[in-house]
Amino acid sequence: MTETGNDRDGLRYTVALIEIQGGLVGLWAFLHDLMQTGAAVPLTLLPGVLFIGLVLAASVVAGVALWQDRRLGYTLSVPVQLAQVIWFVSAGLTVRISASGWLLADVFLRAPAEGELVLGWQFDAARKGGYALSLAPREDFTLALNLIAFAILIWLGFRLRGLLPFRRGG
């Protein structure tokens, strides 16, 4: 196998591990939270709760398919990563899905209640992955870009456009 082939496989295995581990850890926490508070979830949040569960489960499936170098892994990873690439906190709704496993890297724009806009970034290598969905009122607004999901989407774009050819079909 060529050096380029090894590099591509290493990247594919890395993305697969991120999706599998992030999805499994996220599902574990999700199911635990659902068992604890399932009856208390407001009906207005039910579609969001189902969506989060679906994204976390799809992350595991996509990761396994990527590990096996199946086309399904690449195509399923796109909506999984799209669901994670932007997150926000607003006055009446907070939405965040992070199945990136042990790594969090974001660039954000925050508008605190006090006034001035804050542009910042955060990096956390000890993160366990997870989600946030809330109707709790917040005083500040945050809009963020998940850099891990964004980087994976760029890599997927190159793979799906054929710039980096697939080794096998399927």
Side-chain angles (χ1 to χ4, degrees):
M1 183 176 265
T2 67
E3 190 63 36
T4 306
N6 288 335
D7 291 344
R8 277 189 239 142
D9 284 345
L11 216 47
R12 177 173 53 87
Y13 289 135
T14 300
V15 171
L17 283 174
I18 287 170
E19 289 189 332
I20 293 167
Q21 191 270 345
L24 287 174
V25 169
L27 272 174
W28 178 263
F30 176 77
L31 292 173
H32 179 265
D33 289 349
L34 204 54
M35 288 173 28
Q36 298 293 324
T37 62
V41 173
L43 286 178
T44 54
L45 284 181
L46 193 54
V49 169
L50 294 174
F51 180 73
I52 288 170
L54 181 63
V55 169
L56 294 171
S59 182
V60 175
V61 173
V64 169
L66 269 178
W67 188 271
Q68 299 171 348
D69 203 20
R70 302 284 181 218
R71 188 165 188 87
L72 172 67
Y74 298 93
T75 55
L76 186 55
S77 290
V78 171
V80 165
Q81 297 305 319
L82 281 173
Q84 299 176 67
V85 77
I86 299 289
W87 63 270
F88 65 92
V89 175
S90 68
L93 181 64
T94 297
V95 176
R96 177 180 179 83
I97 303 173
S98 177
S100 56
W102 55 88
L103 196 58
L104 169 69
D106 296 316
V107 173
F108 62 85
L109 181 63
R110 182 167 290 139
E114 298 85 44
E116 289 188 34
L117 287 176
V118 176
L119 178 63
W121 63 278
Q122 57 187 358
F123 178 79
D124 185 359
R127 186 162 164 77
K128 301 255 191 292
Y131 61 91
L133 180 64
S134 173
L135 294 173
R138 308 275 192 235
E139 291 188 17
D140 54 333
F141 175 81
T142 303
L143 181 64
L145 173 68
N146 176 336
L147 297 174
I148 305 300
F150 187 66
I152 291 172
L153 279 170
I154 291 170
W155 175 77
L156 287 166
F158 281 116
R159 289 301 298 255
L160 289 170
R161 287 194 181 267
L163 297 176
L164 303 171
F166 292 100
R167 287 189 311 123
R168 306 191 292 258

